[in-house]
Amino acid sequence: MGTRGPVPKRSTERRRRNKDGAEPVRTASASGVVEWPDPDASWHAIACDWYLSLGASGQSQFYEPSDVATARYVAEAMSRNLAAGRFSAQLFAAVSSAMTELLTTEGARRRVRVELERAPAEEENPAGVTAIADYRAALGA
């Protein structure tokens, strides 16, 4: 049976490992490379975009096959809600909750202490440096 409150830390991240009454943590090895299937052709364009962006996002390195299956299910539910004549707020809330479980937002990632860092865009020379170099060249310096 589950516990209430925030998600507990991994056993390796705990400071105190000798607490009496704590159940031992069972670990399993990850499955390796996870296959990311193509989106269903019948899905709404927004659901397809979300599903494809999820596979390309940084947090996808933590996904297992069950997470990909969950993402497909969420994309299907999202597609059905978007294609329906009447938008269901209850289904939207469920889809939004499932998206959070897949760490699709910055806030969700921060809650589980996952930070993604984007590599800086490579520039040859910043514009100011180029202008100064051109100016010096014109002066013969």
Side-chain angles (χ1 to χ4, degrees):
M1 185 164 177
T3 60
R4 293 184 181 203
V7 177
K9 293 181 180 180
R10 288 178 161 260
S11 60
T12 57
E13 296 172 341
R14 291 188 190 136
R15 291 183 187 195
R16 194 172 157 197
R17 297 184 190 151
N18 62 347
K19 186 176 178 184
D20 292 335
E23 294 181 28
V25 175
R26 290 183 242 166
T27 60
S29 54
S31 64
V33 178
V34 176
E35 183 180 331
W36 201 268
D38 291 333
D40 192 312
S42 66
W43 288 348
H44 191 279
I46 294 173
C48 282
D49 289 346
W50 175 80
Y51 177 77
L52 291 172
S53 70
L54 190 60
S57 295
Q59 74 270 14
S60 66
Q61 67 180 321
F62 300 111
Y63 288 171
E64 289 295 310
S66 58
D67 298 313
V68 175
T70 301
R72 288 184 58 81
Y73 183 76
V74 171
E76 176 68 29
M78 182 189 306
S79 181
R80 288 183 185 192
N81 198 24
L82 290 167
R86 191 174 151 192
F87 192 82
S88 169
Q90 190 171 12
L91 182 55
F92 176 77
V95 165
S96 181
S97 175
M99 290 169 70
T100 299
E101 290 290 321
L102 290 168
L103 306 178
T104 58
T105 63
E106 179 70 17
R109 290 189 292 272
R110 284 186 184 181
R111 278 190 282 284
V112 295
R113 303 203 189 287
V114 170
E115 294 182 7
L116 302 177
E117 293 186 16
R118 189 171 306 277
E122 294 182 29
E123 282 187 27
E124 292 180 14
N125 286 326
V129 174
T130 303
I132 292 171
D134 293 342
Y135 180 70
R136 285 183 179 162
L139 291 176

